[in-house]
């Protein structure tokens, strides 16, 4: 959307706090004012109480720090739509439910706090002054995604950009331009126009590769073709060390769009992950979309750079964005900086897997984020869930999502994070009973040995036998420490940097026993806000598992992990 003709509606919006969610019945969306001596309304937007968009409300006002209910946002703006143009209202994300009204008329709603949505308003916009009202509610519920509990702060509000996007009558509705599956030279092009109309010429140009091809739409308003790039100048594949992006232009008689797109192939062969046909080890870290020093959601390019600079400082080539889709700014910058990306929807732990509405919501979330980021070559893994309890309903639910990923995108790998495994003392092996892993391209596991799970034996004695025919990522591990606290490295209750560093050293020693290990991502980059961390001496509503404190100070474990990644980077991987 950012490459289209657009107007940002960011900035200061007027706001009303609606604790009991009465605003809809009161007609707040109509924004009425008294017109007679006997008329009055028990609401009023006034200058002086406002909220910045994009940004969460919790970090803007102390009285909203713990707030979970309704807030009404109002934005006045002037617009004149030219003849022969169409207009769309686009939201990068609103957490969690949004009802959108233009000039007092409801134009749509959306559920889900981390995916984009839009409405066409061509026939609803007025020439001149308009007002937009958005009812936002971030109350948790058992049928939501995520549900009632999650280990991060429930930041409410219009948390990402709001745009007015202007298009011609016939516009480029969708384009997907990536390497064809299994090829390092053939670029697959699929483009849909907004109308089902045959014979419209669509031109695709990649000047640096001297590619320029025009194809006419079929009766569905679509073009689909492949371009070979084997001749000089040859295609330079995207790698973390050389994250090459190409200028790509798509043109019709009605409009021209440009994008920066990289080309890479990701696949699995036996127990290895291959990037452009070569084995790769994913040196990663988990990263929340939060700026801890501000105690708020990341929302700007400066925020994205602050987070990703720390990822790169650890010598990572991979980042797991957890546990929800992050801002498009983060995705694009990570790709530009040479980071492979894990992206997932927030099916976190206790989800109502028997609820058909919850399932439909999960399908919609997955479709929305896969659609937004389909051209981002940095994304190598789609994840459908994290640490979910095994049941028949859960297996059916997630199995359907895995199938959805495969049907939509066969150029990336599908995974999920499971914590359903244990050390079997009788056999001396780590085993699992999560049969759903059999359906995955990559098995991903979370286990906090030395923190939530005591070591049953020395880490070097633990042998692993978990789907050894598949690549495995050790996706979460670690423990908590308060920066600056030092103590006994053998006592968890010390909350010390020394104990946390010992946990990391023990895990790294154990990694040598995992024959199919293809990547690691410790939990987590920064300490982050979490309401159910209630140790008032050490946590104070912070999850203290960060390699960095909330102020960006490096703990001892950071240096342990950095040393491991420095060595892994210099390791030569041999195809097994």
């Amino acid at each position: 959307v950012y490459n289209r003709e657009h107007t940002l509606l960011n900035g200061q919006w007027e706001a009303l706090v609606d604790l009991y969610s009465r605003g809809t019945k009161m007609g707040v969306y109509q924004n009425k004012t008294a017109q007679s001596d006997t008329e009055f309304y028990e609401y009023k937007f006034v200058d002086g109480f406002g909220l910045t968009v994009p940004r969460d409300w919790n970090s803007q006002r102390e009285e909203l720090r713990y707030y979970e209910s309704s807030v009404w946002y109002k934005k006045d703006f002037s617009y004149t739509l030219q003849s022969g143009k169409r207009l769309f209202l686009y939201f990068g994300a609103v957490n969690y439910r949004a009802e959108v009204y233009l000039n007092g008329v409801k134009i749509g709603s959306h559920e889900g706090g981390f995916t984009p949505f839009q409405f066409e308003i061509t026939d609803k916009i007025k020439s001149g002054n308009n007002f937009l009202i958005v009812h936002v509610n971030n109350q948790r519920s058992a049928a939501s995604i995520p549900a009632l509990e999650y280990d991060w702060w429930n930041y409410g509000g219009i948390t990402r950009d709001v745009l007015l996007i202007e298009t011609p009558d016939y516009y480029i509705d969708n384009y997907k331009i990536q390497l064809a599956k299994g090829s390092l030279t053939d670029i697959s092009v699929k483009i849909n126009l907004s109308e089902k109309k045959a014979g419209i010429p669509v031109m695709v140009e990649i000047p640096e590769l001297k590619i320029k091809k025009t194809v006419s739409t079929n009766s569905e308003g679509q073009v689909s073709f492949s371009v070979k790039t084997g001749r000089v100048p040859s295609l330079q594949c995207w790698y973390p060390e050389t994250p090459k992006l190409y200028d790509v232009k798509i043109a019709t008689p009605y409009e021209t769009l440009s994008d920066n797109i990289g080309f890479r192939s990701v696949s699995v062969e036996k127990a290895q992950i291959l990037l452009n046909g070569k084995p790769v080890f994913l040196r990663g870290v988990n990263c929340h979309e939060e700026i801890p020093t501000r105690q708020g959601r990341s929302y700007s390019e400066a925020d994205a750079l602050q987070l990703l600079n720390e990822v790169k400082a650890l010598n990572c080539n991979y980042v797991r964005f957890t546990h929800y889709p992050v801002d498009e700014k983060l995705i694009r910058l990570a790709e530009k900086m040479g980071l492979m990306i894990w992206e997932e929807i927030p099916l976190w732990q206790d989800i109502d897997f028997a609820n058909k509405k919850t399932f439909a919501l999960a399908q919609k979330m997955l479709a929305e984020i896969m659609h937004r980021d389909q051209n981002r070559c940095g994304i190598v893994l789609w994840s459908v869930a994290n640490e979910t309890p095994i049941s028949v309903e859960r297996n059916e639910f997630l199995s359907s999502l895995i199938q959805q990923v495969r049907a939509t995108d066969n150029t990336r790998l599908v995974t999920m994070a499971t914590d359903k495994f244990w050390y079997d003392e009788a056999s001396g092996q780590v085993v699992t009973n999560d049969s759903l892993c059999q359906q995955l391209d990559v098995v991903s596991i979370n286990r906090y040995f030395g923190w939530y799970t005591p070591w049953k034996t020395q880490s070097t004695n633990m042998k692993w036998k978990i789907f050894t025919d598949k690549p495995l990522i050790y996706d979460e591990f670690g423990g908590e420490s308060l920066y600056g606290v030092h103590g006994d490295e053998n006592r968890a209750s010390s909350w010390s940097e020394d104990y946390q560093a010992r946990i990391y050293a023990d895990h790294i020693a154990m990694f040598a026993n995992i024959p199919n290990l293809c990547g690691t991502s410790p939990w987590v980059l920064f300490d982050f806000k979490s309401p159910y961390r209630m140790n008032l001496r050490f946590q104070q509503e912070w999850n203290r598992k960060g390699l960095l404190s909330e102020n960006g100070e490096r703990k001892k474990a950071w240096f342990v992990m950095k040393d491991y990644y420095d060595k892994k980077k210099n390791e030569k991987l041999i195809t097994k």
Side-chain angles (χ1 to χ4, degrees):
V1 295
Y2 294 98
N3 296 325
R4 296 179 182 271
E5 186 175 340
H6 68 270
T7 302
L8 284 171
L9 292 183
N10 294 347
Q12 194 74 358
W13 291 44
E14 294 173 282
L16 292 175
V17 177
D18 182 10
L19 178 62
Y20 292 160
S21 297
R22 296 281 298 169
T24 303
K25 290 184 178 180
M26 295 169 66
V28 169
Y29 55 88
Q30 296 177 324
N31 191 35
K32 288 186 175 181
T33 58
Q35 302 297 313
S36 68
D37 292 342
T38 61
E39 193 176 11
F40 66 90
Y41 294 94
E42 293 187 279
Y43 66 87
K44 186 173 179 61
F45 291 98
V46 295
D47 293 333
F49 184 84
L51 293 168
T52 300
V53 172
R55 195 172 166 187
D56 64 272
W57 63 54
N58 310 82
S59 64
Q60 294 192 56
R61 291 181 173 269
E62 181 59 30
E63 65 268 30
L64 298 179
R65 181 183 177 192
Y66 293 98
Y67 188 72
E68 293 184 304
S69 191
S70 292
V71 170
W72 295 79
Y73 287 77
K74 174 176 169 285
K75 183 73 170 180
D76 294 304
F77 66 98
S78 181
Y79 202 89
T80 300
L81 184 63
Q82 299 177 19
S83 177
K85 296 286 188 177
R86 297 169 71 169
L87 192 64
F88 295 82
L89 176 63
Y90 178 94
F91 293 85
V94 176
N95 192 39
Y96 170 74
R97 297 176 185 84
E99 294 176 333
V100 183
Y101 302 84
L102 181 62
N103 299 321
V105 178
K106 186 174 182 179
I107 59 173
S109 60
H110 182 265
E111 181 175 352
F114 305 100
T115 50
F117 58 97
Q118 65 188 31
F119 308 106
E120 184 168 5
I121 57 172
T122 303
D123 59 349
K124 299 177 179 64
I125 195 77
K126 295 178 180 178
S127 183
N129 295 328
N130 294 264
F131 68 91
L132 177 64
I133 290 180
V134 184
H135 174 205
V136 182
N137 185 288
N138 72 328
Q139 284 179 310
R140 292 163 291 124
S141 74
S144 299
I145 301 175
L148 287 170
E149 290 186 22
Y150 39 104
D151 185 16
W152 65 89
W153 205 268
N154 183 25
Y155 291 110
I158 303 176
T159 56
R160 297 179 191 159
D161 292 335
V162 183
L163 292 78
L164 291 171
I165 302 171
E166 198 170 285
T167 73
D169 273 342
Y170 297 111
Y171 63 91
I172 300 166
D173 181 59
N174 184 39
Y175 60 89
K176 185 175 183 180
I177 302 175
Q178 287 284 277
L179 277 183
K181 183 175 176 62
S183 175
L184 295 178
T185 58
D186 294 359
I187 296 175
S188 172
V189 176
K190 296 180 180 179
I191 299 171
N192 291 2
L193 300 193
S194 58
E195 306 297 327
K196 294 182 178 181
K197 188 175 180 180
I200 298 176
V202 180
M203 185 271 291
V204 175
E205 184 178 11
I206 309 176
E208 196 172 343
L209 292 175
K210 301 189 184 310
I211 290 172
K212 188 174 183 179
K213 185 169 183 175
T214 301
V215 177
S216 294
T217 57
N218 61 20
S219 60
E220 296 296 310
Q222 302 171 342
V223 298
S224 179
F225 59 89
S226 180
V227 180
K228 292 187 179 295
T229 63
R231 297 189 179 92
V232 177
S234 59
L235 176 71
Q236 181 181 340
C237 287
W238 182 96
Y239 281 99
E241 297 76 17
T242 53
K244 174 66 177 177
L245 300 177
Y246 287 92
D247 292 329
V248 177
K249 184 168 72 173
I250 308 144
T252 71
Y254 316 106
E255 69 173 337
T256 299
L257 297 181
S258 298
D259 204 348
N260 299 114
I261 296 177
F263 301 101
R264 61 92 193 96
S265 169
V266 61
S267 59
V268 297
E269 184 176 297
K270 298 180 181 178
Q272 288 187 319
I273 295 173
L274 304 182
L275 180 66
N276 302 320
K278 300 176 182 178
V280 62
F281 188 90
L282 278 59
R283 309 185 310 272
V285 69
N286 286 278
C287 182
H288 265 297
E289 188 188 44
E290 178 183 83
I291 301 299
T293 51
R294 191 175 64 234
Q295 298 180 33
R297 275 262 171 262
S298 165
Y299 64 85
S300 67
E301 291 183 359
D303 287 345
L305 189 61
Q306 180 179 338
L307 293 174
L308 295 178
N309 276 342
E310 292 295 346
V311 174
K312 293 291 287 186
L314 195 60
N315 205 353
C316 293
N317 62 3
Y318 157 67
V319 60
R320 182 190 183 211
F321 287 124
T322 47
H323 287 292
Y324 40 78
V326 298
D327 195 339
E328 185 175 342
K329 297 183 186 73
L330 260 173
I331 295 292
R332 283 183 175 266
L333 184 58
E335 178 180 82
K336 187 177 180 180
M337 293 172 70
L339 290 165
M340 294 176 282
I341 301 165
W342 163 309
E343 192 161 33
E344 69 185 18
I345 59 173
L347 285 168
W348 189 86
Q349 296 194 3
D350 295 323
I351 297 294
D352 187 359
F353 287 115
N355 190 320
K356 292 182 179 179
K357 290 184 178 179
T358 304
F359 175 63
L361 177 59
Q363 287 182 306
K364 185 169 177 286
M365 283 185 181
L366 189 58
E368 286 171 338
I369 200 56
M370 292 180 70
H371 180 76
R372 188 195 75 176
D373 292 338
Q374 62 189 345
N375 291 302
R376 304 279 64 83
C377 70
I379 296 173
V380 297
L381 289 157
W382 297 119
S383 171
V384 298
N386 179 77
E387 295 182 359
T388 51
I390 296 174
S391 68
V392 172
E393 293 80 9
R394 171 262 201 180
N395 286 357
E396 292 176 350
F397 189 116
L398 296 185
S399 180
S400 294
L401 294 186
I402 293 167
Q403 293 173 32
Q404 180 182 343
V405 173
R406 295 199 189 285
T408 305
D409 183 2
N410 65 359
T411 65
R412 294 175 176 87
L413 308 178
V414 61
T415 189
M416 70 172 192
T418 182
D419 58 353
K420 303 302 180 285
F421 63 95
W422 64 94
Y423 176 67
D424 179 56
E425 294 184 67
S427 65
Q429 293 180 329
V430 180
V431 295
T432 183
N433 65 342
D434 196 342
S435 61
L436 199 60
C437 292
Q438 191 62 57
Q439 299 184 35
L440 305 172
D441 294 316
V442 178
V443 176
S444 302
I445 59 170
N446 301 351
R447 178 66 74 207
Y448 295 81
F449 288 113
W451 192 248
Y452 299 121
T453 303
W455 294 99
K456 300 291 186 182
T457 183
Q458 287 187 351
S459 63
T460 52
N461 293 334
M462 294 179 68
K463 306 302 179 183
W464 284 70
K465 191 178 181 180
I466 292 185
F467 291 98
T468 53
D469 60 329
K470 291 177 177 287
L472 182 145
I473 298 174
Y474 206 122
D475 208 47
E476 290 183 28
F477 61 95
E480 298 198 38
S481 74
L482 180 61
Y483 176 77
V485 172
H486 297 280
D488 191 342
E489 70 168 18
N490 297 304
R491 287 181 59 241
S493 61
S494 70
W495 295 85
S496 67
E497 290 188 52
D498 308 274
Y499 186 78
Q500 185 190 39
R502 172 68 185 273
I503 287 176
Y504 272 72
D506 287 342
H507 276 82
I508 289 170
M510 180 183 65
F511 291 159
N513 295 337
I514 307 177
N516 50 334
L517 185 69
C518 289
T520 57
S521 49
W523 185 270
V524 60
L525 185 62
F526 280 97
D527 288 351
F528 62 93
K529 292 296 290 183
S530 175
Y532 69 74
R533 304 296 170 172
M534 298 180 289
N535 185 311
L536 295 182
R537 183 176 180 183
F538 296 109
Q539 292 175 308
Q540 299 175 330
E541 296 182 332
W542 289 88
N543 186 314
R544 296 291 185 189
K545 295 187 185 70
L547 291 168
L548 299 156
S549 76
E550 69 272 29
N551 296 314
E553 299 134 330
R554 292 173 178 174
K555 303 178 187 179
K556 286 184 69 174
W558 185 95
F559 296 94
V560 175
M561 204 66 210
K562 174 67 160 56
D563 181 66
Y564 176 66
Y565 280 166
D566 288 348
K567 292 174 181 175
K568 292 301 291 186
K569 183 177 182 179
N570 295 324
E571 222 177 64
K572 187 173 182 180
L573 297 181
I574 301 171
T575 304
K576 298 175 183 176

